[in-house]
Amino acid sequence: MKLMDKLKEKYRSEDSSKVMDVKRDMKGIYNLLDTNKINVFKSVGAKLVLLILISILVCVLVVGLTSYSTSKTIIENKAADFSQQTIAEAVSKMDILFQSFEDLSMQVIFDPEIQNNIPIVKKQNDSLFNVYEASKRMESKLMTLMVSSKAILSANLIPLDESYKGLNYGGVKIDYSSAKDKEWYQDAINSDGRSVWLPTQLNGYSGTLNEPVIGLSRLVKSTINNEKVFVLLIEIRYKDLAEKLAGLALGEDSRIEVLDEKNRVVFSKGLESIGQTSLIQFPEDSDNKAFRTALGGRDVLIVHQVFNLMNWKLVGEIPVSELVKDAKKIRDLTWAFIGIGILLSIGIGYLVIRLIALPLKQIRNLMVDGEKGNLTVRSSIKRQDEIGQLANSFNQMMEKITSLVNQTNESAQQVLQTAGELTEASRKTSVSAREISIATEEIATGASSLAMEAERGADLTSGIGTQMKQVIEANHQMVGAAGEVENASKQGAEYMSALIQKTGLAEQITRSITEKVDRLKDSTHSIRQILEVLNSLTKQTNILSLNATIEAARAGAAGKGFMVVADEIRKLADESRQSIDVVGEVTETIQFEIDETVQVLIEAFPVFQEQIASVKEANQLFYSVQGQMSQFVERLDSATHSIQQLDRSQSVLSEAMENVSGVAEESSATSEEVASLSNEQLSISEGLVNLSSKLEAVSNELKSSLSRFNTKS
């Protein structure tokens, strides 16, 4: 212990702390030094220049690109708003044009002259001349209506049934048989009178035209009988639509198109794309909104508006590059400022190298010499700035390091001597600790065995206690179940007594019903006798009326009134006879059902008697079960009392085993703690031996390391 205290005092002394500071300072200096050849571009000045250059370039680049991006976004938004407004105005004008064509088609459908001649043009209903005249009137009216618009090229009333004659205006007649196979024909029928706009056809819907047309179809019904008669097809000149959209422009290289509900091109400046599917993919939530997309390898702004009368779109495509070409000037100015910033950074970097990098290089070379062991080096820089202060601090540091090295040499000799004494004392302590550790381990092993046996006994008693509790719980459940069975048997006996009374009452009611049915049977027999008397009276009345009729006929004109009375009496007698027959049939039915009821009651009476006997036997069984369950409950109470006494005895045994187990565990824990302390003391002793050896080796190394420092100038 004296050696340990002496060693601690050595490490706490001022000389020891100085030695540690010297080692730490030398390690920091070594990490700062680069043993490679000094390169200006690896110096702090070069890094500072690079940092300044990057900062300037990043600032200029961020400001320039942010301005470019902001102006680009503003231009795109303004262009989108303006283009959307232009498209909306064009759609409004086109809706007026399309509405005029739909109004014209409605005039054709509801024109009185056309509707009045529809039944006549049906070939089966009239002569050929009348059909011809009616067709001429309808064609004349159709021509009068169509001539009002110069944009209409032709119109056809295509018959749904061959019994009707088709009509044409404009000289371009459609092949009716082939038209019925077209999709637009079926769409017109399915629309049930609503207008259906058809996409552009380059050669018309007849296939014989030299110019493209747009179609409008509609189902025509007869207002007389609501019969489906014609499909109206109006062909509109494509060039009229082109003229309306010719003045619509959204900017340089922009494109205007009209797309139908299937995204097919209906209108475009070039006819080569008519009928083709557009490459534009419209987002689901982009109704009447502008959006950007990539189209044909370039970024374009899409503005569109849906027509009010049909699910067509007027679409404008504007190249984004044309919108933001003026904003590119900001980007060019940004790159120009970046070039100027690079030149300024190079000039600033040259000054930094001259004022900072080269003096730092000189101080670094001096540090390299100091790291090699030459502590006599000093800096010759005489300046008032931070570099000069760094040179002065370097000189002061080298002087302190020289003083510390001299003091450390003296302390190393004392540490080496103390390490030898500490090593010898540590070896003796280690031998004693090993012997104590072996003895305590044997004691701990015995205590552990005793604790294990005590735990096994405690586990067995605990298991017995658990099983006893289970037996007690099961016994309580049996007592409860027996009580429930006893109560159920009592309740069953009461129910059976009530059932016997109700069964007797049912027997009495059955007997009463049988007696009443017998009396009812006698009553129906009396009714039949009365009906026979009435039937006899009816026959006599009928004979009497017949005789009265004969006498009235003999009397001539004077007996006509009496003859009428005789006829009425005869009719009344017939009706009475029919009523008596109906009552007789009803009476026979009642008689038959009464007989069946009597038979059922006769068969049910023995069953009631057997039921009463069975209920009485069941009542005796319930009383017998109740007595036996009472004896069983008494026996269960006696068994429960015995089991409870056994449980109390087991509890006392379990507490005793737990006390034994607790004492054994405490002994084992104490022994293990002593063994652990012994092992810990042994480990500490061995550690002291190792530390003493290391301290001796470190002292020798420190002496060798200090020998390479040159402290003499």
Side-chain angles (χ1 to χ4, degrees), residues 238-294:
Y238 176 83
K239 65 180 182 179
D240 283 55
L241 178 62
E243 289 175 357
K244 296 291 183 182
L245 298 175
L248 181 61
L250 302 178
E252 190 175 354
D253 289 340
S254 63
R255 185 167 62 175
I256 302 297
E257 289 182 344
V258 177
L259 306 180
D260 64 5
E261 65 276 1
K262 296 182 180 179
N263 217 29
R264 295 175 300 191
V265 178
V266 177
F267 167 78
S268 181
K269 289 186 177 180
L271 296 178
E272 62 276 1
S273 61
I274 297 298
Q276 297 181 2
T277 301
S278 175
L279 299 178
I280 302 174
Q281 298 294 329
F282 292 91
E284 293 181 358
D285 58 346
S286 67
D287 290 345
N288 300 334
K289 296 180 182 178
F291 63 93
R292 288 180 60 177
T293 185

Side-chain angles (χ1 to χ4, degrees), residues 105-212:
S105 66
M106 290 293 293
Q107 292 180 17
V108 173
I109 293 175
F110 293 104
D111 185 79
E113 188 169 355
I114 293 177
Q115 286 292 333
N116 292 334
N117 285 282
I118 285 177
I120 302 175
V121 297
K122 194 170 185 180
K123 300 175 183 177
Q124 291 88 344
N125 295 341
D126 213 330
S127 63
L128 293 178
F129 179 77
N130 291 336
V131 172
Y132 174 77
E133 288 293 331
S135 300
K136 285 298 182 180
R137 288 193 295 270
M138 292 177 69
E139 287 180 352
S140 175
K141 188 61 179 180
L142 181 63
M143 180 179 66
T144 301
L145 294 174
M146 295 296 118
V147 167
S148 61
S149 176
K150 296 180 180 180
I152 296 178
L153 182 62
S154 68
N156 285 273
L157 285 173
I158 305 170
L160 275 70
D161 189 352
E162 294 181 355
S163 61
Y164 288 94
K165 178 177 174 57
L167 302 175
N168 167 259
Y169 159 74
V172 182
K173 188 175 182 181
I174 300 294
D175 185 2
Y176 298 154
S177 59
S178 61
K180 293 180 180 179
D181 298 330
K182 302 296 183 181
E183 182 180 359
W184 59 265
Y185 182 84
Q186 297 299 326
D187 291 341
I189 295 175
N190 296 332
S191 65
D192 196 24
R194 295 187 300 273
S195 60
V196 178
W197 285 92
L198 309 179
T200 304
Q201 295 293 328
L202 296 178
N203 295 320
Y205 284 85
S206 64
T208 59
L209 295 177
N210 296 324
E211 60 176 315

Side-chain angles (χ1 to χ4, degrees), residues 439-449 667-668 671-672 675:
T440 53
E441 285 180 356
E442 292 178 355
I443 295 172
T445 302
S448 299
S449 300
S667 301
S668 176
S671 301
E672 290 177 356

Side-chain angles (χ1 to χ4, degrees), residues 403-421:
S403 176
L404 288 174
V405 168
N406 292 330
Q407 294 179 4
T408 304
N409 279 324
E410 297 175 0
S411 301
Q413 288 295 117
Q414 297 177 3
V415 172
L416 184 61
Q417 183 180 357
T418 304
E421 296 175 0

Side-chain angles (χ1 to χ4, degrees), residues 4-17 410-411 413-415 418:
M4 290 294 294
D5 295 337
K6 187 176 181 180
L7 182 62
K8 290 180 180 179
E9 290 176 0
K10 285 288 184 181
Y11 274 101
R12 290 174 182 174
S13 65
E14 183 179 359
D15 293 338
S16 178
S17 63
E410 297 175 0
S411 301
Q413 288 295 117
Q414 297 177 3
V415 172
T418 304

Side-chain angles (χ1 to χ4, degrees), residues 336-487:
F337 282 121
I338 290 175
I340 296 172
I342 292 173
L343 296 177
L344 292 175
S345 300
I346 292 173
I348 295 171
Y350 176 75
L351 293 176
V352 171
I353 291 172
R354 291 285 298 174
L355 297 175
I356 299 175
L358 293 179
L360 289 177
K361 174 184 175 183
Q362 182 183 359
I363 296 174
R364 180 179 178 179
N365 292 333
L366 294 175
M367 287 185 176
V368 171
D369 293 338
E371 187 269 336
K372 292 179 179 179
N374 185 10
L375 301 179
T376 61
V377 295
R378 299 292 184 272
S379 175
S380 60
I381 298 174
K382 304 296 182 181
R383 289 164 54 176
Q384 299 300 321
D385 57 5
E386 288 80 2
I387 299 297
Q389 294 175 6
L390 177 62
N392 293 332
S393 299
F394 173 75
N395 293 335
Q396 294 175 5
M397 182 186 68
M398 295 304 295
E399 291 175 358
K400 291 182 180 180
I401 290 174
T402 302
S403 176
L404 288 174
V405 168
N406 292 330
Q407 294 179 4
T408 304
N409 279 324
E410 297 175 0
S411 301
Q413 288 295 117
Q414 297 177 3
V415 172
L416 184 61
Q417 183 180 357
T418 304
E421 296 175 0
L422 179 62
T423 301
E424 184 64 24
S426 300
R427 287 195 184 98
K428 293 180 181 180
T429 304
S430 177
V431 172
S432 300
R434 185 177 290 106
E435 292 177 355
I436 295 172
S437 177
I438 293 171
T440 53
E441 285 180 356
E442 292 178 355
I443 295 172
T445 302
S448 299
S449 300
L450 178 61
M452 290 175 61
E453 293 298 329
E455 288 179 356
R456 290 179 58 189
D459 291 339
L460 290 174
T461 55
S462 177
I464 293 171
T466 302
Q467 293 177 357
M468 288 298 298
K469 291 179 180 179
Q470 293 177 355
V471 171
I472 293 172
E473 181 65 25
N475 197 6
H476 284 305
Q477 293 178 359
M478 291 176 63
V479 171
E484 292 177 358
V485 172
E486 184 179 7
N487 293 331

Side-chain angles (χ1 to χ4, degrees), residues 538 571-581:
T538 302
K571 291 179 181 179
L572 181 61
D574 291 336
E575 292 177 359
S576 298
R577 181 178 54 80
Q578 293 175 359
S579 300
I580 291 169
D581 292 338

